[in-house]
Amino acid sequence: MSDKLIIFDTTLRDGEQSPGASMTREEKLRIARQLERLHVDVIEAGFAASSPGDFEAVRSIADAIREVTVCSLARANDRDIARAAEALKGAARARIHTFIATSALHMEKKLRMTPEQVHEQARQSIRYARNLCDDIEFSPEDGYRSDVDFLCRVLETVIAEGATTVNIPDTVGYAVPELYGQFIRNLRERVPNSDKAVWSVHCHNDLGMAVANSLAGVKLGGARQIECTINGLGERAGNCSLEEVVMAVRTRRDYFKLDLGIDATQIVPASRMVSQTTGFVVQPNKAVVGANAFAHASGIHQDGVLKARDTYEIMRAEDVGWATNKIVLGKLSGRNAFKQRLQELGVSMESEAEVNAAFARFKDLADRKSDIYDEDIIALVGDESVAPEHEHYRLVSLAQHSETGERPQASVTFVAGGVEHSAASDGNGPVDASLKAIETKVRSGAEMMLYSVNAITSGSTESQGEVTVRLQLGGRVVNGVGADPDIVVASAKAYLSALNKLHGNADRVAAQG
Ligand code: KIV
Ligand code: ZN
């Protein structure tokens, strides 16, 4: 007997809570379209009540996505739930996901509520939500560290009120696989109406066991929904990684005996898109999506794979989408070919003017770089200068000089709020000089937390360099990403992109804490 495992993707909500991973509405929409191509079952698009920006992102995704259920998170109160329902109005299939903490620690120290108050609020919130939407998920936050008798009572109540999915978060990543699996089984056995809801697992990766715990929740506990994110993106050590659970269930179907709706060939494109959008680089030895995940370096392994692939390979690289790294466009490609490729990549542009601006940037890149890959196109449209209304700062030009034995110098011209500025500085290297030149005018005072450079497409120095800059200012952390064949220019773009994010974006309510 086999049954279906529901894949609930929360890259755009729990993943985005990772400091510096915040995305614009357009970026979220592009990722949602890729998740639809991946055929996840549910996309948690955001937390509509947390900020006007998140509301708009959930609304846009709900309006655009037709094949997948779109979900919004909401705290267990009428205002949040009504906001979620409002944002989800245009969805073909909508889900409201409401939560309240149930562990003694969270109830007493964070919520300052008694268990009875929490129980009653959970009941009321599901009753309210059920009038607005048929598909309701309930999460007892910090569920794994909650008193089991109390948790059973809350879960029985919310199912009786009409919750269709109950999700048991290991919010702080404290669980170990066997115990988490038994915990889920125990709850399912003790809650009298447990068969009236789908049981779901939601594991954080603080001890590196999120994937193992989620799989134990399924295999030992009988859960039939896994909550996960692309590349395991998420706060602290992240969430359960989608690519790993999906490929574990698929590769070991003999053991899990579960069906998935996923189109695995879309995994690597999704991983790249999330990494490029957030600037969170995927480690080379990361299972499934790391650059080395299918590379055989030792002579014995190479020899074995050449004779018979399954000597050392349990999955095929092309089955998870590795073969897609091909030249797609070049210098002679026209606007129509460019536009069509954008559509195939799920990038929608709001106006022809935006397409024209992106095409001009493409032509500029194609003049300097002979082969253009999908990753180059994604980097190109990720550049905020395509949508000028979203940017305050924009690079105009950069010149730098470095020579052995000389201190490097840079002069940078950029636009700030519609006014052009030029500035010059020296520095330890040309990147340092360029960013210091920008700072002489901007004086942001932001602290740099991270600077990293990666080749967008592997294997050649012709690749564009992709730079991530993480800045912190007044408790806010933002990532800026910039790409260019010249890594000094990419660095200046990344720096200005981070400054744009510090300049925009209202703060929002956190889902936890
Ligand atoms: O980790 C957690 O507890 C959550 C809930 C809001 C579901 O993300
Ligand atoms: Zn979480």
Side-chain angles (χ1 to χ4, degrees):
M1 254 263 293
S2 142
D3 50 351
K4 167 115 195 259
L5 180 63
I6 297 166
I7 299 296
F8 176 110
D9 181 278
T10 183
T11 306
L12 301 175
R13 197 280 296 171
D14 217 346
E16 205 217 9
Q17 278 173 220
S18 181
S22 67
M23 299 171 227
T24 64
R25 184 176 67 94
E26 292 75 15
E27 289 167 340
K28 285 185 152 198
L29 191 53
R30 193 180 321 139
I31 291 173
R33 290 207 163 95
Q34 178 59 27
L35 293 171
E36 188 176 37
R37 278 194 288 276
L38 181 60
H39 294 176
V40 301
D41 300 285
V42 184
I43 296 172
E44 188 163 49
F47 176 8
S50 70
S51 72
D54 237 34
F55 179 88
E56 283 309 325
V58 175
R59 181 165 41 200
S60 307
I61 293 169
D63 290 350
I65 298 296
R66 292 347 271 162
E67 304 299 327
V68 175
T69 298
V70 179
C71 171
S72 172
L73 187 70
R75 286 167 298 191
N77 65 57
D78 293 0
R79 183 195 161 271
D80 270 31
I81 292 169
R83 263 320 251 172
E86 174 70 20
L88 292 168
K89 249 200 244 115
R93 294 197 291 270
R95 172 179 296 188
I96 295 175
H97 175 192
T98 188
F99 74 99
I100 189 164
T102 51
S103 67
L105 186 64
H106 279 227
M107 290 189 290
E108 189 193 327
K109 304 276 190 243
K110 186 181 83 172
L111 299 176
R112 299 187 197 285
M113 288 169 78
T114 65
E116 279 324 304
Q117 287 170 325
V118 166
H119 180 249
E120 192 48 30
Q121 193 158 324
R123 177 204 305 281
Q124 294 299 340
S125 66
I126 300 297
R127 191 171 288 179
Y128 182 69
R130 265 304 246 164
N131 287 324
L132 302 173
C133 185
D134 290 339
D135 186 347
I136 302 296
E137 174 168 330
F138 174 77
S139 288
E141 190 190 358
D142 205 17
Y144 182 65
R145 292 194 302 171
S146 301
D147 174 76
V148 72
D149 293 334
F150 176 61
L151 189 54
C152 284
R153 231 161 38 87
V154 172
L155 292 171
E156 181 182 352
T157 298
V158 297
I159 295 171
E161 291 293 342
T164 42
T165 299
V166 285
N167 177 47
I168 312 300
D170 176 23
T171 303
V172 291
Y174 182 67
V176 291
E178 198 181 349
L179 299 181
Y180 185 69
Q182 282 165 1
F183 189 70
I184 303 286
R185 169 157 296 273
N186 186 21
L187 293 176
R188 285 184 54 238
E189 283 170 359
R190 288 187 48 187
V191 172
N193 50 3
S194 66
D195 60 328
K196 302 280 183 304
V198 173
W199 287 71
S200 168
V201 290
H202 178 112
C203 298
H204 282 264
N205 202 33
D206 297 68
L207 294 173
M209 291 190 280
V211 169
N213 289 337
S214 303
L215 291 172
V218 167
K219 184 68 184 174
L220 306 178
R224 285 296 174 265
Q225 173 176 288
I226 291 186
E227 302 202 349
C228 47
T229 60
I230 302 288
N231 299 338
L233 189 70
E235 274 184 281
R236 308 186 306 275
N239 284 63
C240 169
S241 130
L242 180 145
E243 57 280 3
E244 293 179 20
V245 274
V246 161
M247 289 316 290
V249 170
R250 196 176 134 143
T251 307
R252 296 307 310 271
R253 199 175 182 285
D254 60 316
Y255 175 70
F256 289 105
K257 298 185 171 53
L258 290 169
D259 292 327
L260 291 164
I262 295 288
D263 175 359
T265 62
Q266 295 297 328
I267 286 179
V268 169
S271 162
R272 288 207 174 129
M273 192 181 281
V274 169
S275 162
Q276 281 188 276
T277 307
T278 57
F280 279 58
V281 175
V282 174
Q283 77 196 55
N285 59 332
K286 169 92 166 65
V288 186
V289 294
N292 290 351
F294 292 88
H296 300 279
S298 97
I300 295 174
H301 288 203
Q302 284 174 348
D303 181 53
V305 169
L306 288 174
K307 287 177 176 148
R309 277 182 88 152
D310 51 3
T311 49
Y312 288 101
E313 277 187 9
I314 57 165
M315 301 170 269
R316 296 186 316 167
E318 56 270 35
D319 290 350
V320 295
W322 273 106
T324 59
N325 187 5
K326 55 183 188 297
I327 301 163
V328 290
L329 294 172
K331 191 175 167 147
L332 300 176
S333 305
R335 186 179 178 283
N336 279 347
F338 176 71
K339 197 173 166 186
Q340 186 182 336
R341 195 63 203 152
L342 285 181
Q343 273 159 6
E344 285 162 6
L345 288 170
V347 178
S348 73
M349 302 235 151
E350 271 161 23
S351 65
E352 284 304 300
E354 250 183 80
V355 178
N356 290 342
F359 184 61
R361 297 181 57 74
F362 159 73
K363 279 292 189 189
D364 177 49
L365 180 63
D367 273 342
R368 292 182 292 146
K369 184 172 187 293
S370 51
D371 303 327
I372 307 287
Y373 297 82
D374 283 343
E375 292 78 0
D376 292 313
I377 298 176
I378 291 169
L380 186 96
V381 297
D383 190 323
E384 283 151 323
S385 55
V386 170
E389 70 275 15
H390 297 310
E391 65 177 2
H392 182 76
Y393 299 104
R394 181 168 52 83
L395 181 69
V396 177
S397 63
L398 184 153
Q400 52 89 9
H401 179 80
S402 63
E403 198 177 326
T404 311
E406 298 286 324
R407 192 156 165 84
Q409 307 281 334
S411 51
V412 184
T413 302
F414 62 98
V415 170
V419 180
E420 198 166 293
H421 300 272
S422 291
S425 174
D426 59 2
N428 282 350
V431 170
D432 187 45
S434 304
L435 304 196
K436 281 191 170 130
I438 296 172
E439 262 307 305
T440 59
K441 293 281 177 202
V442 174
R443 298 188 191 286
S444 72
E447 184 190 349
M448 190 175 301
M449 317 280 290
L450 173 110
Y451 170 82
S452 83
V453 192
N454 278 281
I456 285 191
T457 43
S458 53
S460 152
T461 51
E462 283 188 0
S463 169
Q464 289 200 84
E466 183 173 62
V467 174
T468 302
V469 166
R470 185 172 303 157
L471 297 181
Q472 181 175 33
L473 183 66
R476 285 184 66 203
V477 180
V478 295
N479 273 351
V481 183
D484 199 274
D486 177 335
I487 58 166
V488 184
V489 173
S491 303
K493 284 183 179 173
Y495 194 71
L496 292 171
S497 147
L499 290 177
N500 273 329
K501 288 189 177 164
L502 282 178
H503 189 262
N505 254 349
D507 282 339
R508 37 182 168 163
V509 175
Q512 295 155 35

